[in-house]
Amino acid sequence: MSSTIGRTSLAYTRTWYYVDVGSDPRALGRLASSIAITLMGKHKPIYDPSTDCGDYVVAVGCHDILTTGKKRFQKKYYSHSTRPGSLKELTMDRMMAKFGGAEILRKAVSGMLPKNKLRDVRLARLKAYDGLGHPHSKNILKMNVITPKAQIHNAQEESSTPIQDAVKAAVEAAKQ
């Protein structure tokens, strides 16, 4: 049996996902982890850690990132130029004012990607914008990055078979 079954060029095509960060109820870390999974391609059945099979993610509305607790004022980002005495620190609030929420999301996703040669390539597929406008509207196919829990919840709300539709209709008719 060949080991290339299912590894066609169609399986490696990249989909563009759209995420509105401002309207997403998840906190920064949970949102960043789902974006990192999509960038790596872990949601695909052909996933392999050594290959780059992830998709594009367009994140808009990053100026409204949801954080819990006092992280906006207490979390610090450090940078160093390798020169003595050049350690700089910024709080999340000052970083939001200086660089915008897109940079905060980019740093959070970067920390959740594997530290290897593919990290920069995967991170380049994250297109983050502070406002709602973006130049990728022709490319977007999927409107949200949906977590598995959300998929299960949506499947319970929506019926998936005609039998379930008939049962729901009979229950509603009996109530009336």
Side-chain angles (χ1 to χ4, degrees):
M1 189 156 120
S2 174
S3 63
T4 60
I5 292 177
R7 302 205 181 254
T8 62
S9 61
L10 183 62
Y12 282 101
T13 57
R14 300 193 193 279
T15 306
W16 287 69
Y17 288 90
Y18 175 86
V19 180
D20 187 3
V21 176
S23 66
D24 199 313
R26 295 176 285 179
L28 174 62
R30 294 186 185 270
L31 181 66
S33 65
S34 68
I35 290 173
I37 286 170
T38 305
L39 291 174
M40 286 186 283
K42 278 192 163 186
H43 62 290
K44 294 183 176 183
I46 60 162
Y47 171 72
D48 182 40
S50 63
T51 60
D52 189 21
C53 60
D55 294 327
Y56 286 89
V57 176
V58 177
V60 297
C62 292
H63 60 279
D64 292 331
I65 287 180
L66 176 68
T67 56
T68 57
K70 298 180 182 178
K71 285 188 191 79
R72 190 167 293 247
F73 305 104
Q74 291 180 349
K75 176 158 178 50
K76 295 184 179 175
Y77 294 95
Y78 296 98
S79 62
H80 200 285
S81 70
T82 68
R83 302 286 297 171
S86 68
L87 179 66
K88 296 179 183 178
E89 66 178 39
L90 283 174
T91 62
M92 184 184 281
D93 193 38
R94 288 182 58 206
M95 186 154 188
M96 180 87 79
K98 189 172 183 178
F99 298 111
E103 184 63 24
I104 291 173
L105 181 66
R106 198 172 289 114
K107 282 188 177 287
V109 171
S110 174
M112 294 184 185
L113 290 173
K115 283 67 174 176
N116 57 20
K117 292 178 182 179
L118 296 174
R119 183 184 201 180
D120 292 334
V121 177
R122 289 172 173 162
L123 197 59
R125 285 197 306 270
L126 171 63
K127 313 294 183 185
Y129 300 98
D130 283 331
L132 295 177
H134 61 87
H136 309 289
S137 57
K138 292 182 181 178
N139 300 337
I140 294 175
L141 295 177
K142 308 242 176 158
M143 290 305 287
N144 282 345
V145 176
I146 299 178
T147 60
K149 288 181 183 178
Q151 288 175 345
I152 292 169
H153 181 65
N154 290 341
Q156 290 172 352
E157 288 180 0
E158 299 174 3
S159 62
S160 58
T161 63
I163 295 171
Q164 288 178 346
D165 289 337
V167 169
K168 284 184 181 179
V171 169
E172 289 176 11
K175 287 182 182 178
Q176 295 174 356

